[in-house]
Amino acid sequence: MTGLSLLDRTRDLVQRSVAGPYAGTDQQGRLEGVLARLDEPLRVAIAGRVKAGKSTLLNALVGDRLAPTDAGECTRIVTWYADGHTYDVRAEPRAGATRQLRFERRNGVLEIDLDGLDPDQVERLRVTWPAQGLRHTILIDTPGIGSLSAQTSQRAWDALVPGDDTDQVADVVIYLLRHLHAGDVDFLRAFGETGIAQPSPINAIAVLSRADEIGAGRLDALASARRVAARVATEPDVRRLVQDVVPVAGLLAETAATLTQAEFDQIAGIAALDKVTTDRLLLSVDRFVTSVPEWELGAEDRRRLLDRFGLFGIRLASTMVRHRVATGAPDLATELLGRSGVQELRASLDTLFLRRHEVFKCRSALLTLDAVTRTRPVPGSEEVAAEAEQIVASVHGFRELRVLAAIRAGWITGRPDALEEAERLVGGRGTTPAERLGADPAADDAALRAEALVVLERWQRRAESPMTPHQLGAAARIVIQSCEGMVAELSDWPS
Amino acid sequence: MTVTAPGVVDETTAVVDLGLRACAAYGREDLVPRLQRARARLADPEVQVVVVGEFKKGKSSLVNGLLGARVCPVDDDIATGVPTHLRHAPEPHASLLRPDPAGAADGVRRLLREPVPLERVRDLVQEQPAGRDGGRAGVHGVEVGLPSPVLAGGLVLIDTPGVGGLGSAHAAAALAEASTAQALVFVTDASQELTRAELDFLEQAHRMCSTVVCVITKIDLYPAWRRVAELTRNHLVAAGVDGPVLAVSSTLRELAASSGDDELDRESGYADLRQVLVRTVGDDAARYVVGEARAEVRAVCDQLDAQFSAERAVLADPEQARAVVEELNAVRTRVQELKSAASRWSRTLGDGIGDLNSDIDHDLRRRFREVLAEATAAIEESDPMDTWTEMEKWLQARVSHEMLGNFSELRTRATRLSEVVGEHFRSASGDVLQRVAIGDPRSTIAGEEIEHSIDLERLGARKQAMTMLRAAYGGSIMFVVLGSMVGITLGPIVGGIALVMGHKGLRTEKQRQREARQRQAVAAVRQYLDQVSFVMTKDSRDTLRDVQRQLRDHYTALAEQLERSNAEALRAATEASNRDAEQRRKRLVDVDAELGRIRALGKRASA
């Protein structure tokens, strides 16, 4: 491995291009932006078709009700949510200076006053909010694709799919699906369609959102959603476009993260009713609001409860309280969070992206550099392009991503078990040695090291065997490097 | 289908029965089949209602809710893969519908019904994972017959595969079904307002089938369903689609059905939906069938009338015998002309079908040329190695849409042709009947009535063309939807290695390989288009040939009936002139009585 880290090499190259060939050109500002971005948290965009539950999921990930959610289409402006020391909301108009906006919280929901700005004229909103959930990522909420307003759709598209003159806004995308739709595949393709390691299933993850609705709100709906997600994840079209498919009941997660004692009391009130009455009450949304007048909660409160939990959430929560699975608000929050699938999503994001954040940020930076040198050649840009390609070709992290991409895209053929192992070894299921080796997470270093050596030998044989297909052989050499890296890493660790 | 005034159907049936008795009494068994057909349609006016919408919106649940039984498989994940036709039958049964490959050679092509066990319906209907077609290659759809009070009136429900975004191949298949159906039920759910793709699809479907009912499902689950319904109504008005918007819950309906709770049933919205289907769709169909049956009876009366009125003219005034016989002989020549291939309607039909064949062929070729140009451009812009899977899907969707466009062109033109042929036949034959009737001043049909009956006949011609198309259409779109680009794969992909290694200097090699793949891809697209266009061309030719044959048979039969009427009249007139005065007087009383009865029947049919 090289002495300098990937981040250092990338930063150095971008710095030299800003100071050298591109100094004083119209691209200088763009490249300076790239440089600054290398030191910022990873940018994660949440994208999907209209009403897929993007804002709800964002709130669930942040743990606060920041993004507005409503029955109609409501996210019309691309909005960035970043961690910071103070609370601050700014609008960046397409033309003109950035403007600070007034905001307030009403009923726990953030309300932003656009101050007379036309949403169509706002490039993006930037919300700075001290929140644990934003510590390592900047979350980007986008308008829905397939909106009846063509302009709104276009805005989401612009924000996510880079052109030659625009940078890839996000390093990683969480794509929300309700069901696998032809438009979804198009979108994912366009997102991954970039010069390096294309097409790229490496920086996208799919979420089967509104998981509670897939099973029409039945109590086993989440189990059903898990089954659907597992099936969708094996579709070749999906495999080559995203890393993983995770089912998430966004509303459940959002509510769990922000559950109040008053809400728990109301749920407990339902649980206290007898079984027959509860069944009558929970038959439909209309019945929930109008029937069982003996239950003291008023229509307005009932509607609010529906908005917060959904019929499924109320069914689930009241059942848990009735069976004493949850006895207080914190218990219920934990239970709901556990069932919402958002923790699995967090874990997936962490294993697949956050632990490799340097690679992803450098990837975004090098993509921009590639676009700049291609579209705005200047004297000396050839060298920059060559050096960028050199980094891309030599850094092991990128090589791993490419093998991953190639296996998922079906370019490498071989025995399925060998391909699956290769995918795991280059970090397709997580980057810790245990995850790579598919070993027991509790195994100690010595055991892991022994296992790594066995695997290493197997892949060395595979690489040298004349029976191994050409492409698999090439991939095998990269797998071997990953194994060697693991062996070295495990030997360094104090045991 | 229940009509608001069931008495109308009963009365019409009685009139048709009288007509049948008259045919038997006057020995005109050749007129019997047309009345019998009308009677059968009265007893069972088939109304096809096609259920369309995006996938996973609850279409199959809706059909089950209407039937009050779990017939169509419903699953959280797996969607419906082929159209399912549900019709009434005394005993439950299921069949696969396949286009009949052999039938094309001799008679009229029909869909083959291949009986399958009911237990297999689930497997056959559900979408199969790629690569496994579950033994349903070439299947046009699945037909399920079952006893159901909802279907008993002749309603045929067609559950279609969900449309995955506008432009998908399934969308074209659904539109093809819609183009021959009497009504369209568009299904969306209460989770959100209509999307752009849904609205586009609906507008297109509306052009294919003018009676549209929009149903919003899953209202038990979404608190904001009333607002979503309101938004949907506004969108429909803005798009110029007029039709009722109804909100239903299949979950509540199922509960109501199992518990017998009437209030719950009302809340589920299904009572309203059934009523709308009966009112807007069923009544229209019943009204049409009634009008058609009455027109048939009147036409039969005219034929019988002609037969007797010539005789009556001779009986009343023997001096006229010569003139009448001469006239009838002249008519015979004309009727024979009408029967012959040289007649105007026959030539119009022959030429028209010929023109249509070449125009439709040309239209398809023009469309496919555009597709090829677009595909070539797209391939040149990208590397087929990355884009081939999407390309295949795009091509399938694009091709099925062009096929649909081509088919709807065929449909419009064939309908128009059948109208023109009908008009030519009518103008020649109407003349014939009138001339026979000239001798009798009592037989004057009021002018507006003629107008009315011509209108009805024109409508009839259009309807007839639709029915024929429905029977004849081979469903080549389903060939594209369910088939895949069999035998077309890109050669071994050697580019992967370059990407895996990422070495410098591979750029030119990569470029060369990429160009090779692009050539290969264009050739594959061309080959695919050839294949599809072969199937489609054959299908439209066969369809047109069937239309031609059916129209020819129809009008030839009519001409033969006229000929028979004329021959009878001639025979009766000759006989009459040979009678003596006493016989003539007696016979005149009889003939007047017969004519009175025939005209009374004609009047009753016009009521």
Side-chain angles (χ1 to χ4, degrees), chain B residues 82-83 85 94-104 108-117 120 124 133-143 177 470-476 478-479 482 539:
Chain B
V82 293
H85 297 234
S95 332
L96 281 184
L97 302 176
R98 284 181 203 276
D100 184 353
V108 175
R109 282 175 318 142
R110 295 239 176 270
L111 285 175
L112 274 186
R113 285 186 169 72
E114 179 185 311
V116 285
R120 273 199 67 209
L124 290 166
D133 70 357
R136 52 174 203 200
V139 169
H140 186 89
V142 173
E143 184 180 77
E177 287 283 351
R470 198 175 301 147
Y473 172 55
S476 42
M478 289 311 282
F479 166 82
L482 294 174
D539 194 31

Side-chain angles (χ1 to χ4, degrees), chain B residues 542-561:
Chain B
D542 289 352
T543 303
L544 284 173
R545 210 197 37 233
D546 286 352
V547 167
Q548 182 178 23
R549 176 181 300 119
Q550 293 193 44
L551 282 175
R552 200 184 53 220
D553 291 353
H554 176 73
Y555 288 112
T556 308
L558 282 186
E560 274 162 2
Q561 287 164 14

Side-chain angles (χ1 to χ4, degrees), chain B residues 151-166:
Chain B
L151 302 179
L155 182 68
V156 176
L157 287 171
I158 305 171
D159 185 19
T160 62
V163 173
L166 182 80

Side-chain angles (χ1 to χ4, degrees), chain B residues 237-513:
Chain B
V237 170
V241 179
D242 58 337
V245 175
L246 296 161
V248 303
S249 159
S250 305
T251 312
L252 292 188
R253 163 75 184 145
E254 205 179 335
L255 269 175
S258 63
S259 67
D261 185 339
D262 285 344
E263 199 193 331
L264 206 57
D265 195 44
R266 199 174 40 72
E267 245 177 270
S268 76
Y270 270 87
D272 288 348
L273 177 61
R274 275 195 302 269
Q275 214 202 329
V276 164
L277 284 183
V278 168
R279 203 178 56 221
T280 59
V281 180
D283 276 7
D284 271 3
R287 209 171 302 130
Y288 170 76
V289 171
V290 163
E292 189 188 42
R294 284 167 179 266
E296 286 291 58
V297 173
R298 280 201 302 275
V300 165
C301 286
D302 284 352
Q303 300 253 358
L304 296 175
D305 196 306
Q307 180 181 329
F308 283 107
S309 52
E311 185 182 358
R312 191 194 179 280
V314 177
L315 289 173
D317 182 2
E319 298 305 308
Q320 285 224 16
R322 229 186 124 84
V324 167
V325 169
E326 245 168 48
E327 202 175 310
L328 286 175
N329 276 326
V331 167
R332 187 172 62 187
T333 322
R334 293 174 53 115
V335 171
Q336 270 162 359
E337 253 172 48
L338 198 60
K339 241 180 78 182
S340 81
S343 65
R344 187 151 167 243
W345 69 267
S346 174
R347 269 183 289 125
T348 310
L349 179 62
D351 294 352
I353 294 285
D355 287 351
L356 251 179
N357 253 329
S358 65
D359 287 359
I360 292 297
D361 208 37
H362 181 260
D363 179 72
L364 187 72
R365 249 179 294 150
R366 181 183 56 77
R367 287 167 187 273
F368 277 14
R369 229 183 354 256
E370 269 169 37
V371 173
L372 183 64
E374 262 173 59
T376 311
I379 288 170
E380 271 163 13
E381 261 175 34
S382 65
D383 188 338
M385 182 171 68
D386 305 330
T387 52
W388 190 243
T389 330
E390 282 79 14
M391 186 77 200
E392 221 179 310
K393 278 209 185 109
W394 171 86
L395 194 63
Q396 217 180 32
R398 190 78 174 67
V399 161
S400 36
H401 263 264
E402 293 305 337
M403 286 167 75
L404 183 69
N406 186 248
F407 173 65
S408 85
E409 173 82 13
L410 181 144
R411 169 174 166 253
T412 321
R413 296 267 313 264
T415 311
R416 207 183 313 143
L417 177 67
S418 71
E419 277 175 49
V420 173
V421 170
E423 237 152 66
H424 287 172
F425 184 86
R426 246 187 332 275
S427 64
S429 67
D431 207 15
V432 167
L433 279 181
Q434 250 163 2
R435 286 187 57 155
V436 176
I438 262 175
D440 184 4
R442 281 182 301 173
S443 144
T444 43
I445 309 164
E448 70 185 73
E449 204 176 299
I450 291 177
E451 278 304 305
H452 171 73
S453 90
I454 285 177
D455 260 4
L456 203 79
E457 282 195 50
R458 193 171 296 135
L459 188 68
R462 194 175 306 149
K463 201 81 178 184
Q464 189 190 20
M466 291 301 255
T467 316
M468 278 188 294
L469 282 172
R470 198 175 301 147
Y473 172 55
S476 42
I477 289 177
M478 289 311 282
F479 166 82
V480 172
V481 173
L482 294 174
S484 57
M485 297 175 65
V486 189
I488 300 174
T489 40
L490 292 183
I493 294 165
V494 275
I497 186 66
L499 274 113
V500 171
M501 299 307 291
H503 283 318
K504 268 203 295 180
L506 276 174
R507 281 208 165 153
T508 43
E509 173 61 12
K510 275 198 261 181
Q511 186 61 29
R512 197 190 60 74
Q513 291 190 354

Side-chain angles (χ1 to χ4, degrees), chain A residues 70-113:
Chain A
D70 185 23
E73 279 182 57
C74 49
T75 307
R76 297 185 59 200
I77 308 173
V78 178
T79 313
W80 291 45
Y81 297 88
D83 188 28
H85 299 296
T86 55
Y87 301 90
D88 180 54
V89 179
R90 280 162 203 274
E92 295 178 20
R94 282 175 204 284
T98 301
R99 225 191 301 175
Q100 194 162 3
L101 296 179
R102 276 199 312 269
F103 61 91
E104 60 176 327
R105 297 206 73 171
R106 192 175 294 164
N107 293 332
V109 183
L110 177 68
E111 284 182 13
I112 297 169
D113 178 8

Side-chain angles (χ1 to χ4, degrees), chain A residues 151-162:
Chain A
Q151 217 172 1
T152 307
S153 278
Q154 188 58 42
R155 217 170 290 143
W157 194 264
D158 287 347
L160 291 164
V161 180

Side-chain angles (χ1 to χ4, degrees), chain A residues 121-248:
Chain A
Q121 294 311 314
V122 180
E123 176 90 43
R124 67 175 170 191
L125 290 176
R126 199 182 168 97
V127 177
T128 310
W129 207 263
Q132 185 63 38
L134 294 171
R135 200 68 22 107
H136 304 291
T137 47
I138 294 175
L139 291 177
I140 305 173
D141 195 11
T142 64
I145 316 271
S147 161
L148 265 177
S149 143
Q151 217 172 1
T152 307
S153 278
Q154 188 58 42
R155 217 170 290 143
W157 194 264
D158 287 347
L160 291 164
V161 180
D164 270 345
D165 287 324
T166 49
D167 300 336
Q168 183 147 356
V169 173
D171 302 305
V172 167
V173 167
I174 302 177
Y175 192 84
L176 272 65
L177 306 165
R178 285 175 69 173
H179 277 287
L180 192 62
H181 203 278
D184 294 325
V185 175
D186 284 352
F187 178 83
L188 285 170
R189 256 211 69 77
F191 180 75
E193 201 167 76
T194 40
I196 298 173
Q198 63 164 318
S200 148
I202 53 186
N203 62 339
I205 186 170
V207 164
L208 202 61
S209 67
R210 300 176 81 153
D212 46 334
E213 290 168 18
I214 288 170
R218 296 187 314 265
L219 270 179
D220 66 346
L222 292 177
S224 180
R226 220 158 275 139
R227 214 162 33 79
V228 176
R231 203 262 311 154
V232 168
T234 58
E235 296 237 334
D237 270 354
V238 175
R239 260 180 65 79
R240 52 206 294 268
L241 296 171
V242 297
Q243 283 269 10
D244 200 0
V245 181
V246 189
V248 175

Side-chain angles (χ1 to χ4, degrees), chain A residues 28 37-38 139 162 168 172 177 196 198 222 256 308 325 327 384 388 414 436 453:
Chain A
Q28 187 181 346
R37 188 171 160 181
L38 280 173
L139 291 177
Q168 183 147 356
V172 167
L177 306 165
I196 298 173
Q198 63 164 318
L222 292 177
R308 286 278 282 155
V325 179
T327 51
V384 172
R436 285 172 187 260
L453 283 168

